[in-house]
Amino acid sequence: MSSERILEVKNLNVSFNTYAGVSQAVRGVDFYLNKGETLAIVGESGCGKTVTSKAIMGLLPTPQSIIDKKVSEINFNGKNLLDLNENEMSKVRGRQISMIFQDPMTSLNPTMKIGDQIAESIVIHDKKSLREAREQALEMLELVKIPNAKQRLNQYPFEFSGGMRQRAMIAIALACNPQVLIADEPTTALDVTIQAQIMDLIGTLQKKLNTGVILVTHDLGVVASVADRIQVMYAGKVVERGTVDEIFYNPKHPYTLALLRSVPKLSTNNKEELYSLTGTPPDLINPPVGCPFAARCEYGMEVCRVKFPQTNVFSSTQECSCWLHDSRADKTGIPEILLKGDSNVK
């Protein structure tokens, strides 16, 4: 993994016009990605993960979506992608930044053969002939370990299994050797065995191509063995970030702890009740002024509801926004794992 920074998102704010009002889907999100690194963005449905990813790709629907370009920046190789027009963005999308979409069955064109769909981006971005592009498409199918690749090249998406369609999506995304790969829930609706194969495949190709990967998922179990850093999102905000070891063994935010507790463990007694996070996320048309997790947090205080917490820094890689780490907070009844270690307020 390189320390060369290839992507940096600063103060990203994205809203949507809805029939009920303006929904503030992403609120002040910051993060960066290094070359060859895997950054996992984790959180439950509706937290803003996919909206953040599509904002990077320039794929948000218009005119419903609103990106506050006065304060937001998406810097890629020294360029702010938000300043590019559609023609300039189309040269970046697919060539330098690619995306594996959540549902391959709806993302693949059902009327086109798989080989033609892979070759299409190669012809457009690499300016190769259709014959050369199809030869490269065959190599990509072999690279993602689809059996009988020569035969599969001329088949349609409905002739592929779920796992094979996901592999075909990976082949399309990596066809032009992008610097950044965004994988949006790449293992959704796949069984556990195929999930492991897909994640292993992404990891192997990343090392081979030295691609930076943003892995978007709600499942912490998926990222445990593949991510370098994790950032946890809730209600459009990043509430905690850190390395994999810090998040799994030393979480600092109650929401992160709740996500970890929700994952079944091999050591769990089969008669033990699985932890479930109660309540629902807040309405982002009228987002709370304080901590967005306050209404569902079993350790919440009055201040949590009226003022958003400052950022607490625990190491050069780990920080979280939570009032529990303020020196004035009542620590009674708070799990030791949340309080372990000193913090500095930023």
Side-chain angles (χ1 to χ4, degrees):
M1 186 180 67
S2 169
S3 59
E4 180 185 348
R5 190 167 295 187
I6 54 175
L7 179 70
E8 187 170 15
V9 175
K10 295 181 179 179
N11 199 24
L12 181 63
N13 288 268
V14 183
S15 302
F16 289 91
N17 287 315
T18 73
Y19 68 93
V22 177
S23 177
Q24 301 174 44
V26 175
R27 304 181 292 152
V29 166
D30 300 285
F31 65 88
Y32 66 89
L33 179 71
N34 292 327
K35 196 170 185 178
E37 177 188 38
T38 299
L39 169 68
I41 303 179
V42 177
E44 59 192 319
S45 296
C47 71
K49 309 184 301 296
T50 297
V51 172
T52 299
S53 303
K54 289 188 175 182
I56 295 171
M57 293 291 293
L59 292 176
L60 291 174
T62 54
Q64 297 93 337
S65 62
I66 308 164
I67 298 179
D68 189 349
K69 296 184 180 181
K70 293 181 180 179
V71 297
S72 304
E73 291 182 32
I74 303 175
N75 295 313
F76 174 70
N77 286 341
K79 293 181 180 179
N80 184 0
L81 299 183
L82 298 179
D83 292 336
L84 304 184
N85 59 38
E86 180 56 31
N87 185 49
E88 293 169 327
M89 193 64 203
S90 65
K91 295 177 182 178
V92 174
R93 190 190 302 125
R95 180 66 185 89
Q96 296 173 295
I97 305 177
S98 284
M99 188 168 182
I100 303 170
F101 294 96
Q102 189 166 348
D103 184 0
M105 195 58 189
T106 56
S107 301
L108 293 169
N109 188 332
T111 67
M112 287 180 67
K113 295 176 181 178
I114 291 293
D116 292 335
Q117 296 192 54
I118 301 173
E120 184 178 39
S121 62
I122 299 170
V123 170
I124 293 172
H125 294 294
D126 290 347
K127 310 301 181 185
K128 292 186 177 181
S129 67
L130 182 58
R131 181 178 178 181
E132 291 174 319
R134 282 184 64 84
E135 289 175 357
Q136 189 173 331
L138 177 60
E139 293 174 4
M140 291 305 302
L141 286 183
E142 292 172 343
L143 187 64
V144 297
K145 299 181 180 179
I146 287 183
N148 304 319
K150 196 168 186 178
Q151 176 187 345
R152 296 290 186 180
L153 199 68
N154 296 306
Q155 291 184 333
Y156 292 90
F158 74 87
E159 298 177 89
F160 279 47
S161 67
M164 288 173 63
R165 283 195 292 267
Q166 196 62 278
R167 290 172 186 268
M169 282 292 301
I170 295 172
I172 294 171
L174 293 176
C176 295
N177 192 13
Q179 293 177 269
V180 175
L181 175 66
I182 302 173
D184 185 9
E185 300 277 10
T187 58
T188 296
L190 300 178
D191 64 59
V192 177
T193 303
I194 303 300
Q195 281 186 13
Q197 292 175 3
I198 294 298
M199 295 312 302
D200 286 344
L201 175 62
I202 292 174
T204 300
L205 295 175
Q206 177 191 25
K207 291 176 183 176
K208 184 174 183 178
L209 303 174
N210 200 26
T211 305
V213 174
I214 297 175
L215 177 60
V216 176
T217 182
H218 65 276
D219 189 349
L220 276 169
V222 169
V223 307
S225 60
V226 297
D228 298 298
R229 292 185 296 115
I230 297 173
Q231 69 174 24
V232 181
M233 286 189 67
Y234 185 80
K237 285 183 172 287
V238 177
V239 295
E240 183 170 6
R241 66 181 97 233
T243 64
V244 171
D245 285 348
E246 286 169 337
I247 295 298
F248 274 85
Y249 299 109
N250 196 22
K252 295 300 180 187
H253 199 281
Y255 179 61
T256 307
L257 184 60
L259 290 179
L260 290 168
R261 285 176 171 175
S262 299
V263 178
K265 299 176 179 60
L266 292 174
S267 58
T268 302
N269 188 307
N270 60 5
K271 294 183 180 180
E272 196 174 312
E273 185 177 347
L274 182 63
Y275 176 84
S276 176
L277 179 58
T278 59
T280 58
D283 179 5
L284 293 183
I285 293 177
N286 294 297
V289 293
C291 174
F293 189 59
R296 304 174 73 187
C297 182
E298 55 189 297
Y299 315 114
M301 301 172 287
E302 185 60 33
V303 67
C304 302
R305 299 175 183 272
V306 297
K307 187 175 182 181
F308 190 82
Q310 293 178 299
T311 301
N312 300 280
V313 180
F314 299 90
S315 71
S316 60
T317 52
Q318 186 179 20
E319 60 184 44
C320 92
S321 300
C322 180
W323 282 115
L324 292 178
H325 303 288
D326 190 278
S327 59
R328 297 163 291 179
D330 181 4
K331 315 292 184 180
T332 306
I334 309 302
E336 185 181 348
I337 191 170
L338 290 179
L339 301 177
K340 187 168 58 176
D342 295 325
S343 69
N344 298 307
V345 177
K346 183 169 71 176

Short mmCIF file of all heavy atoms in Angstrom, two decimals, residues 286-328:
data_model
loop_
_atom_site.label_atom_id
_atom_site.label_comp_id
_atom_site.label_asym_id
_atom_site.label_seq_id
_atom_site.Cartn_x
_atom_site.Cartn_y
_atom_site.Cartn_z
N ASN A 286 -35.50 17.08 8.34
CA ASN A 286 -35.30 17.92 9.52
C ASN A 286 -34.29 17.22 10.44
O ASN A 286 -34.67 16.64 11.46
CB ASN A 286 -36.62 18.15 10.26
CG ASN A 286 -37.61 18.95 9.45
OD1 ASN A 286 -37.36 20.10 9.14
ND2 ASN A 286 -38.73 18.33 9.10
N PRO A 287 -33.00 17.22 10.06
CA PRO A 287 -32.00 16.48 10.84
C PRO A 287 -31.83 17.07 12.24
O PRO A 287 -32.01 18.27 12.45
CB PRO A 287 -30.72 16.65 10.03
CG PRO A 287 -30.92 17.88 9.22
CD PRO A 287 -32.40 17.93 8.93
N PRO A 288 -31.49 16.22 13.21
CA PRO A 288 -31.30 16.71 14.58
C PRO A 288 -30.11 17.65 14.67
O PRO A 288 -29.13 17.52 13.93
CB PRO A 288 -31.04 15.43 15.38
CG PRO A 288 -30.59 14.43 14.38
CD PRO A 288 -31.28 14.76 13.11
N VAL A 289 -30.20 18.62 15.59
CA VAL A 289 -29.11 19.59 15.75
C VAL A 289 -27.95 18.98 16.52
O VAL A 289 -26.80 19.41 16.37
CB VAL A 289 -29.60 20.86 16.48
CG1 VAL A 289 -30.59 21.60 15.62
CG2 VAL A 289 -30.21 20.51 17.84
N GLY A 290 -28.22 17.98 17.35
CA GLY A 290 -27.17 17.33 18.12
C GLY A 290 -26.63 16.10 17.42
O GLY A 290 -26.62 16.02 16.19
N CYS A 291 -26.19 15.13 18.19
CA CYS A 291 -25.70 13.87 17.63
C CYS A 291 -26.87 13.15 16.97
O CYS A 291 -27.91 12.93 17.61
CB CYS A 291 -25.09 13.01 18.73
SG CYS A 291 -24.62 11.34 18.16
N PRO A 292 -26.75 12.73 15.71
CA PRO A 292 -27.88 12.08 15.04
C PRO A 292 -28.24 10.72 15.63
O PRO A 292 -29.36 10.24 15.44
CB PRO A 292 -27.39 11.93 13.59
CG PRO A 292 -25.90 11.99 13.68
CD PRO A 292 -25.59 12.90 14.82
N PHE A 293 -27.32 10.13 16.39
CA PHE A 293 -27.56 8.81 16.98
C PHE A 293 -28.17 8.91 18.38
O PHE A 293 -28.52 7.90 18.98
CB PHE A 293 -26.23 8.03 17.04
CG PHE A 293 -26.38 6.59 17.43
CD1 PHE A 293 -27.17 5.72 16.69
CD2 PHE A 293 -25.73 6.10 18.56
CE1 PHE A 293 -27.30 4.38 17.06
CE2 PHE A 293 -25.86 4.77 18.93
CZ PHE A 293 -26.65 3.91 18.17
N ALA A 294 -28.33 10.12 18.89
CA ALA A 294 -28.75 10.31 20.29
C ALA A 294 -30.04 9.60 20.65
O ALA A 294 -30.16 8.99 21.72
CB ALA A 294 -28.88 11.81 20.59
N ALA A 295 -31.05 9.62 19.76
CA ALA A 295 -32.35 9.04 20.07
C ALA A 295 -32.30 7.52 20.20
O ALA A 295 -33.16 6.92 20.84
CB ALA A 295 -33.36 9.43 19.00
N ARG A 296 -31.28 6.88 19.63
CA ARG A 296 -31.17 5.42 19.67
C ARG A 296 -30.05 4.95 20.59
O ARG A 296 -29.89 3.75 20.80
CB ARG A 296 -30.91 4.88 18.26
CG ARG A 296 -31.94 5.30 17.24
CD ARG A 296 -31.56 4.87 15.84
NE ARG A 296 -31.70 3.45 15.63
CZ ARG A 296 -31.30 2.83 14.52
NH1 ARG A 296 -30.70 3.50 13.55
NH2 ARG A 296 -31.46 1.53 14.40
N CYS A 297 -29.28 5.88 21.12
CA CYS A 297 -28.10 5.52 21.91
C CYS A 297 -28.50 5.22 23.36
O CYS A 297 -29.12 6.06 24.04
CB CYS A 297 -27.09 6.67 21.88
SG CYS A 297 -25.57 6.33 22.79
N GLU A 298 -28.11 4.05 23.84
CA GLU A 298 -28.44 3.68 25.23
C GLU A 298 -27.57 4.38 26.24
O GLU A 298 -27.81 4.29 27.45
CB GLU A 298 -28.34 2.16 25.40
CG GLU A 298 -27.01 1.56 25.00
CD GLU A 298 -27.06 0.04 24.99
OE1 GLU A 298 -27.27 -0.55 26.07
OE2 GLU A 298 -26.87 -0.56 23.92
N TYR A 299 -26.54 5.10 25.79
CA TYR A 299 -25.66 5.83 26.71
C TYR A 299 -25.80 7.34 26.51
O TYR A 299 -24.97 8.12 27.00
CB TYR A 299 -24.19 5.43 26.47
CG TYR A 299 -23.99 3.95 26.33
CD1 TYR A 299 -23.57 3.40 25.11
CD2 TYR A 299 -24.26 3.08 27.39
CE1 TYR A 299 -23.40 2.03 24.97
CE2 TYR A 299 -24.10 1.70 27.24
CZ TYR A 299 -23.68 1.19 26.04
OH TYR A 299 -23.52 -0.17 25.89
N GLY A 300 -26.83 7.79 25.80
CA GLY A 300 -26.98 9.19 25.46
C GLY A 300 -27.25 10.09 26.66
O GLY A 300 -27.80 9.66 27.67
N MET A 301 -26.84 11.34 26.54
CA MET A 301 -27.03 12.35 27.58
C MET A 301 -27.83 13.51 26.98
O MET A 301 -28.04 13.58 25.77
CB MET A 301 -25.67 12.85 28.09
CG MET A 301 -24.80 11.73 28.67
SD MET A 301 -23.11 12.28 29.05
CE MET A 301 -22.41 12.42 27.40
N GLU A 302 -28.25 14.43 27.84
CA GLU A 302 -29.05 15.56 27.37
C GLU A 302 -28.29 16.41 26.35
O GLU A 302 -28.87 16.88 25.35
CB GLU A 302 -29.47 16.43 28.56
CG GLU A 302 -30.42 17.56 28.19
CD GLU A 302 -31.71 17.08 27.57
OE1 GLU A 302 -32.21 15.99 27.95
OE2 GLU A 302 -32.23 17.78 26.69
N VAL A 303 -26.99 16.59 26.56
CA VAL A 303 -26.20 17.41 25.66
C VAL A 303 -26.14 16.81 24.26
O VAL A 303 -26.01 17.52 23.26
CB VAL A 303 -24.76 17.61 26.22
CG1 VAL A 303 -23.99 16.29 26.24
CG2 VAL A 303 -24.01 18.68 25.43
N CYS A 304 -26.26 15.48 24.16
CA CYS A 304 -26.20 14.80 22.86
C CYS A 304 -27.32 15.26 21.93
O CYS A 304 -27.16 15.28 20.71
CB CYS A 304 -26.28 13.28 23.04
SG CYS A 304 -24.99 12.58 24.09
N ARG A 305 -28.45 15.64 22.52
CA ARG A 305 -29.62 16.02 21.72
C ARG A 305 -29.61 17.49 21.29
O ARG A 305 -30.34 17.86 20.37
CB ARG A 305 -30.90 15.74 22.50
CG ARG A 305 -31.08 14.27 22.86
CD ARG A 305 -32.31 14.07 23.73
NE ARG A 305 -32.45 12.69 24.14
CZ ARG A 305 -33.10 11.76 23.44
NH1 ARG A 305 -33.67 12.08 22.29
NH2 ARG A 305 -33.19 10.52 23.88
N VAL A 306 -28.78 18.29 21.93
CA VAL A 306 -28.84 19.73 21.67
C VAL A 306 -27.59 20.30 20.98
O VAL A 306 -27.62 21.40 20.46
CB VAL A 306 -29.09 20.52 22.97
CG1 VAL A 306 -30.44 20.15 23.56
CG2 VAL A 306 -27.98 20.29 23.99
N LYS A 307 -26.51 19.53 20.96
CA LYS A 307 -25.29 20.04 20.34
C LYS A 307 -24.47 18.89 19.75
O LYS A 307 -24.27 17.88 20.41
CB LYS A 307 -24.44 20.80 21.37
CG LYS A 307 -23.24 21.52 20.75
CD LYS A 307 -22.50 22.36 21.79
CE LYS A 307 -21.33 23.09 21.15
NZ LYS A 307 -20.59 23.91 22.14
N PHE A 308 -24.01 19.07 18.50
CA PHE A 308 -23.21 18.02 17.87
C PHE A 308 -21.82 17.98 18.53
O PHE A 308 -21.21 19.02 18.78
CB PHE A 308 -23.05 18.29 16.37
CG PHE A 308 -22.44 17.13 15.63
CD1 PHE A 308 -23.22 16.06 15.24
CD2 PHE A 308 -21.08 17.13 15.34
CE1 PHE A 308 -22.66 14.98 14.56
CE2 PHE A 308 -20.51 16.05 14.66
CZ PHE A 308 -21.31 14.98 14.28
N PRO A 309 -21.33 16.79 18.86
CA PRO A 309 -20.06 16.69 19.58
C PRO A 309 -18.85 17.09 18.75
O PRO A 309 -18.87 16.97 17.52
CB PRO A 309 -19.99 15.20 19.96
CG PRO A 309 -20.85 14.51 18.95
CD PRO A 309 -21.95 15.48 18.63
N GLN A 310 -17.82 17.54 19.44
CA GLN A 310 -16.56 17.82 18.78
C GLN A 310 -15.86 16.50 18.45
O GLN A 310 -16.22 15.43 18.94
CB GLN A 310 -15.67 18.67 19.69
CG GLN A 310 -16.21 20.07 19.92
CD GLN A 310 -15.31 20.85 20.88
OE1 GLN A 310 -15.12 20.46 22.02
NE2 GLN A 310 -14.76 21.96 20.41
N THR A 311 -14.84 16.59 17.59
CA THR A 311 -14.10 15.40 17.19
C THR A 311 -13.06 15.04 18.24
O THR A 311 -12.27 15.88 18.66
CB THR A 311 -13.40 15.62 15.84
OG1 THR A 311 -14.39 15.92 14.85
CG2 THR A 311 -12.65 14.37 15.40
N ASN A 312 -13.08 13.79 18.68
CA ASN A 312 -12.11 13.28 19.64
C ASN A 312 -11.06 12.45 18.91
O ASN A 312 -11.40 11.53 18.17
CB ASN A 312 -12.80 12.40 20.68
CG ASN A 312 -13.86 13.16 21.46
OD1 ASN A 312 -13.55 13.90 22.38
ND2 ASN A 312 -15.12 12.99 21.07
N VAL A 313 -9.80 12.80 19.09
CA VAL A 313 -8.70 12.13 18.39
C VAL A 313 -8.02 11.15 19.34
O VAL A 313 -7.58 11.54 20.43
CB VAL A 313 -7.68 13.15 17.85
CG1 VAL A 313 -6.55 12.44 17.13
CG2 VAL A 313 -8.36 14.15 16.92
N PHE A 314 -7.92 9.89 18.94
CA PHE A 314 -7.33 8.85 19.78
C PHE A 314 -5.96 8.41 19.27
O PHE A 314 -5.15 7.89 20.03
CB PHE A 314 -8.27 7.65 19.87
CG PHE A 314 -9.60 7.98 20.47
CD1 PHE A 314 -10.65 8.39 19.67
CD2 PHE A 314 -9.79 7.93 21.84
CE1 PHE A 314 -11.88 8.73 20.23
CE2 PHE A 314 -11.01 8.27 22.40
CZ PHE A 314 -12.06 8.67 21.60
N SER A 315 -5.72 8.57 17.99
CA SER A 315 -4.42 8.24 17.39
C SER A 315 -4.34 8.99 16.07
O SER A 315 -5.27 9.71 15.68
CB SER A 315 -4.29 6.73 17.16
OG SER A 315 -5.12 6.31 16.10
N SER A 316 -3.26 8.79 15.35
CA SER A 316 -3.10 9.47 14.05
C SER A 316 -4.09 8.95 13.02
O SER A 316 -4.33 9.57 11.99
CB SER A 316 -1.67 9.28 13.53
OG SER A 316 -1.40 7.89 13.36
N THR A 317 -4.71 7.79 13.32
CA THR A 317 -5.64 7.19 12.37
C THR A 317 -7.07 7.06 12.90
O THR A 317 -7.99 6.83 12.13
CB THR A 317 -5.15 5.78 11.96
OG1 THR A 317 -4.89 5.02 13.14
CG2 THR A 317 -3.89 5.87 11.12
N GLN A 318 -7.27 7.20 14.22
CA GLN A 318 -8.60 7.00 14.78
C GLN A 318 -9.16 8.26 15.42
O GLN A 318 -8.48 8.92 16.22
CB GLN A 318 -8.60 5.87 15.82
CG GLN A 318 -10.01 5.53 16.33
CD GLN A 318 -10.03 4.41 17.33
OE1 GLN A 318 -9.00 4.10 17.94
NE2 GLN A 318 -11.17 3.77 17.51
N GLU A 319 -10.41 8.56 15.07
CA GLU A 319 -11.13 9.67 15.69
C GLU A 319 -12.62 9.40 15.63
O GLU A 319 -13.09 8.62 14.80
CB GLU A 319 -10.79 10.99 14.99
CG GLU A 319 -11.16 11.04 13.52
CD GLU A 319 -10.71 12.33 12.85
OE1 GLU A 319 -9.57 12.77 13.09
OE2 GLU A 319 -11.51 12.89 12.08
N CYS A 320 -13.36 10.01 16.54
CA CYS A 320 -14.81 9.85 16.53
C CYS A 320 -15.47 11.09 17.11
O CYS A 320 -14.82 11.88 17.81
CB CYS A 320 -15.25 8.59 17.27
SG CYS A 320 -15.62 8.82 19.01
N SER A 321 -16.75 11.25 16.83
CA SER A 321 -17.52 12.39 17.34
C SER A 321 -18.53 11.86 18.34
O SER A 321 -19.56 11.29 17.95
CB SER A 321 -18.22 13.12 16.19
OG SER A 321 -17.28 13.59 15.25
N CYS A 322 -18.24 12.02 19.63
CA CYS A 322 -19.14 11.50 20.67
C CYS A 322 -18.88 12.24 21.99
O CYS A 322 -17.73 12.40 22.41
CB CYS A 322 -18.92 10.00 20.86
SG CYS A 322 -19.98 9.25 22.11
N TRP A 323 -19.98 12.65 22.67
CA TRP A 323 -19.85 13.38 23.93
C TRP A 323 -19.36 12.50 25.07
O TRP A 323 -18.92 13.02 26.10
CB TRP A 323 -21.20 13.99 24.31
CG TRP A 323 -21.54 15.24 23.56
CD1 TRP A 323 -22.56 15.41 22.68
CD2 TRP A 323 -20.86 16.49 23.62
NE1 TRP A 323 -22.55 16.70 22.17
CE2 TRP A 323 -21.52 17.39 22.75
CE3 TRP A 323 -19.74 16.95 24.33
CZ2 TRP A 323 -21.11 18.69 22.57
CZ3 TRP A 323 -19.33 18.26 24.16
CH2 TRP A 323 -20.01 19.13 23.29
N LEU A 324 -19.39 11.18 24.92
CA LEU A 324 -18.93 10.30 26.00
C LEU A 324 -17.46 10.52 26.33
O LEU A 324 -17.01 10.22 27.44
CB LEU A 324 -19.14 8.83 25.62
CG LEU A 324 -20.59 8.34 25.52
CD1 LEU A 324 -20.61 6.89 25.09
CD2 LEU A 324 -21.30 8.51 26.85
N HIS A 325 -16.71 11.04 25.36
CA HIS A 325 -15.27 11.21 25.56
C HIS A 325 -14.91 12.61 26.05
O HIS A 325 -13.73 12.94 26.19
CB HIS A 325 -14.53 10.87 24.26
CG HIS A 325 -14.81 9.48 23.78
ND1 HIS A 325 -14.31 8.37 24.42
CD2 HIS A 325 -15.59 9.03 22.78
CE1 HIS A 325 -14.75 7.29 23.79
NE2 HIS A 325 -15.52 7.65 22.80
N ASP A 326 -15.92 13.42 26.34
CA ASP A 326 -15.68 14.72 26.94
C ASP A 326 -15.35 14.53 28.42
O ASP A 326 -15.91 13.65 29.09
CB ASP A 326 -16.93 15.60 26.79
CG ASP A 326 -16.66 17.04 27.19
OD1 ASP A 326 -16.70 17.33 28.41
OD2 ASP A 326 -16.43 17.86 26.29
N SER A 327 -14.44 15.32 28.93
CA SER A 327 -14.00 15.17 30.33
C SER A 327 -15.13 15.41 31.33
O SER A 327 -15.07 14.95 32.47
CB SER A 327 -12.84 16.15 30.62
OG SER A 327 -13.25 17.49 30.39
N ARG A 328 -16.18 16.10 30.92
CA ARG A 328 -17.29 16.41 31.83
C ARG A 328 -18.38 15.34 31.81
O ARG A 328 -19.34 15.42 32.57
CB ARG A 328 -17.90 17.76 31.44
CG ARG A 328 -16.94 18.94 31.59
CD ARG A 328 -17.43 20.16 30.82
NE ARG A 328 -17.37 19.94 29.38
CZ ARG A 328 -17.75 20.84 28.48
NH1 ARG A 328 -18.24 22.01 28.88
NH2 ARG A 328 -17.66 20.58 27.19
#
